[in-house]
Amino acid sequence: MKKWLASTALVLSLALPAAAQEYTPDPNAKAGGTITITYKDDVATLDPAIGYDWQNWSMIKSLFDGLMDYVPGTTTLRPGLAESYEISEDGLTYTFKLRAGVKFHNGREMTAEDVKYSLGRVTDPATQSPGAGFFGSIAGFDKAGPDGLSGVEVVDPLTVKITLSRPDATFLHVMALNFASVVPKEAVDAAAGDFGKMPVGTGAFKLAEWTLGQRLVFEKNADYWRAGVPYLDGVVFEVGQEPVVALLRLQNGEVDVPGDGIPPAKFQEVMADPAQAARVVVGGQLHTGYITLNVTTPPFDKLEVRKAVNMAINKDRIVQIINGRAVPATQPLPPSMPGYTEGYAGYAFDVEGAKKLLADAGLADGFETDLYVMNTDPNPRIAQAIQQDLAAIGVKANIQSLAQANVIEAGGAGTAPMIWSGGMGWIADFPDPSNFYGPILGCAGAVEGGWNWSKFCDAALDAKATEADSVSDPADPARLAKWSEVYQGVMEQAPWVPVFNEERYTMKSERMGGEDALYVDPVSIPVNYDYVFVK
């Protein structure tokens, strides 16, 4: 049970404080027009309980809504289908007041019964939702099934009460995940197991056409409950488009956004052309590329060795390998994540300092180890750069270039002394610092098969993390300060070498309008379709 902090034990009643939770659209925004987005691969599903890949994430966000949402282009929470909510003094009960008159795409008005059904559906083992575990703090989760969750109660048609088994600061973020989208039972039943191809939600767009292997067409929801949006009449997603061809079509004015991004082979060419570079929007991701150091495997069980490795890595040179599409990292959290410690320098690149630390650890002549890496470009090239940096301080790192599954298996089993995380690194499910700790740095993840490949476990830091998550308000400055302390504590013990934070590069056609943040929205990848427009 997490400890509830007395200093925050108060009832929170939140309506819509405009400055924090509303969004001021572009005054030049115009309604109308259809845009074209391309993807190499077809879409697997549009069922919000099932979809869990970057390609369909923002599509689902435009078809469905949850109780909570984010201010467009930011990680700031705001109410969605909930007009307001209250949190009890003990942090265990959330009472959501729903907006009146919200309609599903089939014309029926949404009620609290739909919320209860949807949360019960996503947690029912029969649904096989990859996101079910996010709802583990709701009372009755351990007995979830066809009868729903005992912790979700319909108070009246526009009020739903959710009781937790423990205080959980991330709960409002969970209510903003696609998995928490509200769906109508009759549409799920009518789809007879194919709701992912026949989605019905309350979102800004609705599915008008899906020709498998060719295209999907979204059309504007004229009855959308948010006034004034979406601006677009529709969005056409063309699939089966190779990224290089998509870029050429954008240059010819046939495509508005290549969904797979700028092809690596064309990146320098695009950025060197002022006309094309002017159409590129750059933004951060909730992602960090890192090297894990297995603290249970000698000599990485010595702090001096782990610090020496941190100081040996030339992060600027590694960033160059990926055409500068990242910034050097100083800590586990990416800069766009709440709780990131501004001004924290981490370990400076210092070859002589690293050599001295190895000597202090009794390893003046260096040592030999294995560096595991996924065998798809550019990861082997990054591993070679790491190998060269380590050689400069006397460490011989033998590269084990393997298929992704084999690297993950070795990491989970604890048999890999070092792993470059590229292609497998953690991307946050929601913009909260806790999501970067428990699975990959906390004691709970340092188990057989877990994602904490450094096998780092610090009970004191775990306790501080638990304390931070016992504050009900995820944006509480005191909570974020505590998370900052947790990650600085991690860095002091150096189980990782944070290498870089990748940046997103979205290219758009000249006719696309809307602020840049909408094209690198941290929770809608690649584009927040609800708020962009055609000039």
Side-chain angles (χ1 to χ4, degrees):
M1 176 67 71
K2 295 182 179 179
K3 180 182 178 184
W4 176 250
L5 298 182
S7 62
T8 60
L10 71 164
V11 177
L12 299 177
S13 180
L14 295 160
L16 284 170
Q21 296 176 334
E22 275 307 297
Y23 175 74
T24 302
D26 190 320
N28 299 313
K30 296 190 301 183
T34 298
I35 64 172
T36 300
I37 315 293
T38 61
Y39 285 107
K40 179 179 181 292
D41 299 318
D42 204 350
V43 178
T45 180
L46 291 173
D47 185 340
I50 305 298
Y52 199 22
D53 63 65
W54 68 270
Q55 180 176 330
N56 65 18
W57 198 254
S58 59
M59 293 183 186
I60 289 172
K61 280 195 173 299
S62 286
L63 294 172
F64 298 90
D65 298 300
L67 295 177
M68 298 298 295
D69 188 18
Y70 294 96
V71 175
T74 77
T75 58
T76 302
L77 276 167
R78 66 172 178 173
L81 294 176
E83 184 177 76
S84 62
Y85 58 89
E86 292 182 356
I87 308 174
S88 63
E89 290 187 7
D90 61 5
L92 294 176
T93 303
Y94 288 69
T95 303
F96 294 92
K97 186 68 175 178
L98 306 183
R99 298 177 190 273
V102 174
K103 293 182 179 179
F104 288 112
H105 298 155
N106 62 9
R108 181 174 69 76
E109 288 196 9
M110 178 208 66
T111 71
E113 289 287 353
D114 298 305
V115 177
K116 180 177 175 62
Y117 165 73
S118 300
L119 295 178
R121 175 177 181 257
V122 74
T123 54
D124 184 349
T127 304
Q128 297 184 331
S129 170
F134 288 114
F135 303 89
S137 64
I138 298 179
F141 176 80
D142 56 335
K143 298 179 180 178
D147 295 329
L149 291 165
S150 61
V152 182
E153 176 187 348
V154 173
V155 177
D156 61 48
L158 291 177
T159 308
V160 62
K161 183 167 69 174
I162 301 177
T163 301
L164 307 185
S165 57
R166 63 181 189 277
D168 180 4
T170 70
F171 182 67
L172 292 176
H173 282 294
V174 170
M175 290 295 100
L177 285 172
N178 286 356
F179 298 117
S181 298
V182 179
V183 302
K185 183 178 186 300
E186 68 274 17
V188 175
D189 291 344
D194 207 17
F195 187 65
K197 294 292 189 295
M198 305 166 63
V200 176
T202 62
F205 292 92
K206 52 187 177 181
L207 180 66
E209 174 194 333
W210 189 345
T211 304
L212 294 179
Q214 296 183 38
R215 69 179 199 162
L216 298 87
V217 179
F218 286 9
E219 66 179 20
K220 179 176 184 173
N221 176 9
D223 291 325
Y224 191 46
W225 56 272
R226 284 197 191 277
V229 291
Y231 301 113
L232 298 171
D233 289 334
V235 183
V236 177
F237 300 96
E238 296 187 359
V239 299
Q241 295 280 313
E242 289 294 332
V244 173
V245 175
L247 175 62
L248 180 61
R249 293 186 64 208
L250 181 142
Q251 293 166 339
N252 291 336
E254 301 169 9
V255 166
D256 293 296
V257 177
D260 294 303
I262 304 168
K266 294 288 186 179
F267 181 76
Q268 291 181 325
E269 176 187 318
V270 167
M271 299 307 291
D273 178 356
Q276 294 191 73
R279 300 202 299 273
V280 176
V281 182
V282 184
Q285 296 192 79
L286 301 177
H287 165 272
T288 299
Y290 50 88
I291 305 166
T292 59
L293 308 176
N294 190 330
V295 301
T296 67
T297 300
F300 297 119
D301 56 343
K302 294 184 177 183
L303 178 59
E304 296 91 344
V305 173
R306 301 196 299 271
K307 287 185 174 181
V309 172
N310 267 272
M311 294 165 66
I313 304 303
N314 187 339
K315 300 174 184 178
D316 290 321
R317 185 163 68 102
I318 293 175
V319 168
Q320 291 173 7
I321 292 173
I322 59 170
N323 295 319
R325 301 173 75 160
V327 294
T330 63
Q331 56 197 285
L333 288 183
S336 51
M337 180 73 82
Y340 177 83
T341 307
E342 295 287 348
Y344 179 73
Y347 294 94
F349 175 50
D350 183 355
V351 173
E352 294 306 314
K355 288 180 178 178
K356 183 180 184 303
L357 282 173
L358 286 185
D360 292 344
L363 294 165
D365 295 329
F367 60 92
E368 186 171 350
T369 188
D370 290 330
L371 171 61
Y372 284 65
V373 60
M374 191 173 78
N375 60 6
T376 57
D377 191 66
N379 297 302
R381 290 188 288 124
I382 292 174
Q384 289 169 4
I386 295 169
Q387 181 186 52
Q388 293 167 10
D389 287 343
L390 294 177
I393 64 169
V395 176
K396 181 182 179 182
N398 303 305
I399 295 176
Q400 305 296 328
S401 184
L402 305 170
Q404 181 186 61
N406 298 116
V407 179
I408 292 173
E409 181 181 13
T415 56
M418 302 177 69
I419 298 176
W420 162 244
S421 69
M424 306 166 293
W426 199 259
I427 298 177
D429 297 290
F430 49 85
D432 188 86
S434 67
N435 193 237
F436 248 75
Y437 182 78
I440 51 178
L441 283 165
C443 296
V447 295
E448 178 78 22
W451 279 81
N452 182 345
W453 299 335
S454 66
K455 303 305 176 184
F456 171 72
C457 174
D458 185 297
L461 288 178
D462 263 26
K464 186 171 288 188
T466 296
E467 195 175 70
D469 276 353
S470 295
V471 179
S472 65
D473 179 5
D476 187 317
R479 174 178 181 262
L480 296 180
K482 198 169 291 293
W483 269 117
S484 175
E485 293 173 10
V486 168
Y487 287 108
Q488 288 182 69
V490 168
M491 289 303 296
E492 288 171 7
Q493 298 190 55
W496 276 18
V497 182
V499 178
F500 58 58
N501 302 115
E502 283 194 76
E503 296 188 305
R504 281 170 56 193
Y505 286 74
T506 301
M507 196 170 180
K508 58 180 180 176
S509 68
E510 291 181 341
R511 72 191 195 113
M512 292 303 300
E515 64 180 34
D516 284 353
L518 298 173
Y519 293 89
V520 286
D521 191 308
V523 292
S524 291
I525 300 172
V527 177
N528 188 320
Y529 303 114
D530 299 7
Y531 289 84
V532 298
F533 59 91
V534 173
K535 295 177 184 177

